[in-house]
Amino acid sequence: MLSLLAKIVATGSITEPVSTFPEPELGETGENLKAAIGALYGGRSLHIRHVDAGSNNGEEYEMTALGNAFYDVERFGLSFVASPRHADILTVSGPVTRNMEHALRTAYELMPAPRIVVAVGDGAVTGGIWKGSYAVVGPVDLVIPVDVRIPGDPPAPADILAGLLAAVRKGRS
Amino acid sequence: MTFFLAILDGLIVLLLAPLTVGFVRLAKARFQNRRGAPVYLPYLTLLSLMRKEMTVTKHSSWVFAAAPFFVLASAIALAFIVPTAAAGVLPDFASNLFLVGGIAAFGSVFLAMGGMDAASTFGNMGASREMTLAAFVEPAFYMGFSALALVGGTWSLDGILRHLASLPWSAGVPAASIALVALVFVTLAENARYPVDNPATHLELTMVHEAMLLEYSGPSLALLEYASAVKLTVMLGLVASLSLPFFLIQPPVTALGLVLGVLALIAKLALAAFVLAFIESTFVKMRFYRMQEYFSLAFIVALAGLLLALISMTR
Amino acid sequence: MAPSVFGLLFVAALVLPLLGSAAALLARRAGWGNALSQYLFMLSGVLGLAALAGYFTALHAASSVVLLSSPVLAFSVTPLSAFFLLIVYLGTFITSLYALGYLPLYADAYSVPLTNAVSGVFLFALAAVLLSTTVFTFLLSWELMSLSAYFLVIADRSPESLSAGFLYLVMTHIGFACLSAGFLLLSGGHAFISFDGVREVARQLNPAALAAAFALLFIGFGSKAGLVPLHQWLPYAHPQAPSHSSALLSGTMLKVALYGFLLALTLFPGIPASWAFTVAAVGLISAFFGALSAAVEHDAKRLLAWSSVENMGLIFSGVGIALVLHGLSMPLSGALAAAFALFVAFHVLNHFAFKTGLFLATGAMVAKTHTRDLDLYGGLAGKWPAFSGVFLVLVIAAAALPPSGTFFGEWLYLQSLAAALRFSSPLLVASAAAALGLAALVGGLALFAFVKFFSAAFLGRARSEHAEAAEPMPVLLLVPPLLCAAFSVLLGLFGLPVLSAATAGFGSLVPVTTVVPGASMSAWFVFALLAFASAFAFIAYRVFARNRTVRRTETWDCGTPLTPRMEYTATGFSAPMRFFFRGLVMAQKEILAEAVVPGNPWIANRRIEWSIASVWEAWLYRRIARGIVSVAAFVKRLQNGVIQLYLLFVLLALIIVVLVAL
């Protein structure tokens, strides 16, 4: 235990400053985002619920990294929660498969308004390489309305984080 | 005058509750070499939740809707009858330790009923576990406080705190310090912290407290989150004040004493939050089906405190 | 009221149930027969309560009213019996009011006129036991009470009831034998002697005879009150009776057993500390086993019966501790003995209130869902909002949560035990610490049991078509539990200050009860605190909640539609308790997998089998039964049909008789 503590002290804070993140290209954002961010005190405290609607888990690996000491998503008031009922943001990855369509719809339905949907990764944004397959419904916006799109296959943690922050900034303006 | 001080003591705790949660989260983040969220974030979280709509399962009844109010009522009642910043302001019957236990149990019963009314297995499991823990925590709770009561010569928490404040330092009273260790065990269990429960888990099967909250949303979730923050603050504040009974607000009160008392409480809460984060960063969560070991240990430590108190009394 | 007037009222209240019995039999073909009997019973209850009101107001505390004094039968009202009569007549009134709407629902299952006839005798016997002033009258009334209770237990004549009734009949007669022996030992063999006379005789007895008499009486009354290890019949017999009778059996008859024990205690010249310790220990162990069994039970009415074992255990331990303390001459011991006596009186009332209410409410629930299995309920709060509210109040009382009267009773108990830690004798302190730990655990287990009960029955979705198809709850079945719930709350508000003389004003606004220096409680403060805190929470919600729209959705299912089968049942809820106390509840769990072909990994079906058992049954009852059977098997060898042998026995017997006679 002492060596662990010594290491914690020796390492100190290793969180990346936000200025090193790339500038994202978000594309269009709708009225819903602005209304939601406006209602929720400028999005200073937002809860995220993630649904994997059929991705290859690449996005999940990258998103898990958001919680680590390097990216530290919590410092921006963003945190992951265990139930869609607690969430303000629904992040969805992967093209929506037919099996996950119901799960995605219920998760969205259960979220209390105001709510924001973020499509993470090429699969969720366009359908990616699975587009047109008989097993998938298609991109997320065929199932539920999408507010923010973060492309990439998979997007790097820095891209995801910068995308989320840019969306909040846009909502405030 | 003492009446106003008692009300003030409760209001201070109610105001500081989200701050305590912020302190704990910040300290935990620093233990993980992260920067962490600002300490005032829990206030914003609660306010944001209050602005959301509520989605409620259609299988639930009036109990589900009413439960958050009773849970919060229990926490608020605790805030007013448990001394934290002030000592010597409550009459004996108001902060009787058995009353404190009863009021705390009142809250956990309604929390468990809310979890059972959600018609979801997660909430049901959390409720079953919560009630099991509530049943097991009682002996250690009463035994630990009884040891302190024997030291203090009174059965009210306020009186115990007043007595400890009149001594040079409670660490000089071995019985009190051992009983306080038992109370730390109780505090961890009552507030669903490590090693009994994991407050940050996302895995439903490891949840106890969080599992009962899964079906709540919006304002009712805010009430429940706030209730658990208040309960945590009350217990941490009590244990911190009992172990460091300095700068308490005691009548006759001066303006300086009041300000010092509030600042001292904030400092104590920050320290307690640091200790809590330390425990949560260095210990692992125990399996639920090993909980009897944890509670036996807590009970035995409390019993040891009681024995010491009795031995020092007969001297 | 003049004494003669309420003397007459007492007599009328005593005899009216018998009239009700007669009416039930005479009007058995008439549609209004049930109503007539119940009205007569209710009238008896009202007259009894009126008589008691007169008795308590008009008379000085230590006086008694003689109702009948003949050499054979003698009845009179004493202060102790008046307190217990209060419960009998309240119980008579409430349960008869309930039976008015309840019994017609069961016209097929029970013979209503016969049940009413037996109930009348039972109600008469309950009061008669309390009023008896001679040993013979007492034992006669006691036997009448036990026998009529037997017929109530077997009222539906199902195989389960008959076997439960048989167990009850055996146990109650073992108890009766002990009682008769104990009383006769004390009275020097005189059966028609009054209790005052017994007191005189007992003073001359040697200590060994006194100890034997005490043991016999404790066993006799303890077996009726359901104390461990003679509790085994109670959870089987009480639930089998019609629910209004179950309420009387658990809420009232157990208290009559307590009355008998208290009466017996007054006959002894003194109670040595070792006896008192035994009573306290047996009481606490009963409380623990009752609470633990209630926590793992899933039959609705049996859970309540187990809780009766728990509460009677607590009451008896209170009696025992009060006796221990009463015999001491230490500072505080007098005050604490008084506190425990107060607890006993208060808890008798509290347990009566919530247990009667819970049995009646559960009976109504069973009548509308046609099952007693808690695992098959669920979702009833949505169907019966008012009824579930009443039930919740009763559950809060049963779980000893503030602000119910039970909470203040248990506070007295725990607080006085904690105060006893200050004694200087190591033995006393060790016992007090052990009792405090055990009593706290008992409280926790009771909390668990009743949260489980309420949650499994009322919350979530219906677990089976029984609960799904539950009919609306008629008002007539709702009112009696409501009365009990109201009584519970009133006991909380007024019980402690009224029962205890030791009250002091806090700013002369709030009555405060003090037990020992430094320990005090105010029921009104607790009410005010909870009301204030709830109002605070509600106002905070109204002020801060900007968005108060509520959208109804499905339960969160993670993508897989949920079925009611996935919810926790009462059995699932108590799984942790079965695990942690697996040694004591003898929990066994086995997963049985059936392969498609033996040796093939494909499983055709898989099921789980679990069971719990009573350690007392396995380690005590079964052993005794096995011993009796083996002795009988040995004796059977003698009975082999050889006439010469039988003649030899006769001859031997004659010789022994002659030898003894000489």
Side-chain angles (χ1 to χ4, degrees), chain B residues 54-308:
Chain B
M54 255 193 262
T55 63
V56 174
T57 165
K58 60 186 171 201
H59 300 298
S60 68
S61 65
W62 61 271
V63 179
F64 184 83
F69 292 101
F70 288 113
V71 175
L72 182 57
S74 149
I76 291 174
L78 283 181
F80 282 103
I81 62 173
V82 174
T84 42
V89 295
L90 289 163
D92 271 347
F93 60 81
S95 70
N96 184 285
L97 60 95
F98 295 96
L99 178 63
V100 171
I103 300 269
F106 183 82
S108 48
V109 162
F110 276 98
L111 187 60
M113 285 180 179
M116 281 301 280
D117 206 12
S120 140
T121 318
F122 297 141
N124 294 176
M125 184 200 65
S128 163
R129 293 182 168 184
E130 167 86 0
M131 289 322 296
T132 309
L133 298 178
F136 283 142
V137 83
E138 300 240 322
F141 184 97
Y142 290 137
M143 204 52 85
F145 275 118
S146 293
L148 279 178
L150 287 179
V151 173
T154 166
W155 301 97
S156 89
L157 294 181
D158 186 70
I160 296 168
L161 187 56
R162 196 170 48 211
H163 175 79
L164 289 180
S166 68
L167 299 179
W169 189 25
S170 48
V173 187
S177 35
I178 289 186
L180 278 170
V181 172
L183 289 186
V184 170
F185 278 93
V186 170
T187 306
L188 294 178
E190 280 270 348
N191 291 293
R193 314 298 302 200
Y194 273 67
V196 178
D197 189 5
N198 181 351
T201 183
H202 293 200
L203 184 61
E204 290 84 359
L205 293 180
T206 61
M207 290 177 178
V208 180
H209 179 267
E210 292 298 308
M212 293 181 284
L213 267 50
L214 285 180
E215 286 291 320
Y216 280 102
S217 58
S220 60
L221 178 66
L223 294 182
L224 288 171
E225 295 273 11
Y226 183 55
S228 70
V230 170
K231 199 174 166 193
L232 178 71
T233 312
V234 167
M235 298 287 284
L236 285 185
L238 175 68
V239 173
S241 286
L242 285 173
S243 9
L244 304 166
F246 310 123
F247 299 109
L248 294 169
I249 305 170
Q250 277 174 304
V253 70
T254 59
L256 180 67
L258 209 62
V259 173
L260 266 183
V262 174
L263 290 179
L265 180 67
I266 295 177
K268 285 176 203 167
L269 283 175
L271 183 66
F274 177 80
V275 173
L276 189 62
F278 177 80
I279 291 173
E280 298 207 338
S281 303
T282 47
F283 284 68
V284 288
K285 183 184 169 301
M286 285 173 84
R287 278 181 67 210
F288 177 73
Y289 281 98
R290 280 181 62 197
M291 272 301 121
Q292 86 273 32
E293 297 169 22
Y294 178 84
F295 286 106
S296 314
L297 185 62
F299 182 71
I300 287 170
V301 173
L303 207 59
L306 188 74
L307 272 180
L308 266 181

Side-chain angles (χ1 to χ4, degrees), chain B residues 7 11 14 47 49-64 68-70 72-74 76-78 80-81 90-110 112-114 116-122 124-129 131-136 138-140 142-143 146-147 149-150 152-156 204 214-215 219-220 223 226 287-293 299 303 306 310 313-314, chain C residues 379 381-382 384-386 388-389 392 395-396 399-403 407-408 411 414-415 418-424 429 432-434 436-438 440-441 443-445 447-448 450-452 454-456 458-461 463 506 510 512-513 516-522 525-526 529-530 532-538 540-541 544-558 562-563 566-569 572-577 579-582:
Chain B
I7 297 283
L11 288 178
L14 292 182
L47 288 174
L49 282 174
M50 279 293 191
R51 286 199 163 185
K52 302 203 73 175
E53 71 169 349
M54 255 193 262
T55 63
V56 174
T57 165
K58 60 186 171 201
H59 300 298
S60 68
S61 65
W62 61 271
V63 179
F64 184 83
F69 292 101
F70 288 113
L72 182 57
S74 149
I76 291 174
L78 283 181
F80 282 103
I81 62 173
L90 289 163
D92 271 347
F93 60 81
S95 70
N96 184 285
L97 60 95
F98 295 96
L99 178 63
V100 171
I103 300 269
F106 183 82
S108 48
V109 162
F110 276 98
M113 285 180 179
M116 281 301 280
D117 206 12
S120 140
T121 318
F122 297 141
N124 294 176
M125 184 200 65
S128 163
R129 293 182 168 184
M131 289 322 296
T132 309
L133 298 178
F136 283 142
E138 300 240 322
Y142 290 137
M143 204 52 85
S146 293
L150 287 179
T154 166
W155 301 97
S156 89
E204 290 84 359
L214 285 180
E215 286 291 320
S220 60
L223 294 182
Y226 183 55
R287 278 181 67 210
F288 177 73
Y289 281 98
R290 280 181 62 197
M291 272 301 121
Q292 86 273 32
E293 297 169 22
F299 182 71
L303 207 59
L306 188 74
L310 289 169
M313 260 171 56
T314 48
Chain C
W384 307 326
S388 59
L392 183 60
V395 158
I396 283 178
L401 287 173
F407 170 75
F408 299 109
W411 170 76
L414 292 172
Q415 180 67 73
L421 292 171
R422 286 209 196 131
F423 286 134
S424 49
V429 170
L436 181 62
L438 198 55
L441 187 59
L445 288 172
L447 193 69
F448 182 91
F450 281 100
V451 171
K452 177 189 80 172
F454 185 79
S455 308
F458 287 94
L459 305 181
R461 289 161 81 177
R463 269 80 161 173
F506 170 66
V510 189
V512 179
T513 307
V516 287
S520 54
M521 176 65 77
S522 164
F525 170 75
V526 176
L529 176 71
L530 282 174
F532 164 75
S534 307
F536 198 119
F538 190 69
Y541 168 77
F544 284 104
R546 289 269 157 260
N547 189 346
R548 289 202 282 270
T549 47
V550 174
R551 189 151 52 86
R552 287 272 172 181
T553 64
E554 274 293 333
T555 304
W556 181 43
D557 57 7
C558 303
L562 296 173
T563 69
M566 295 178 187
E567 285 176 274
Y568 264 43
T569 57
F573 195 89
S574 61
M577 283 299 169
F579 174 82
F580 287 124
F581 292 101
R582 58 193 177 281

Side-chain angles (χ1 to χ4, degrees), chain C residues 377-389:
Chain C
Y377 292 149
L380 296 177
K383 288 197 165 62
W384 307 326
F387 183 77
S388 59

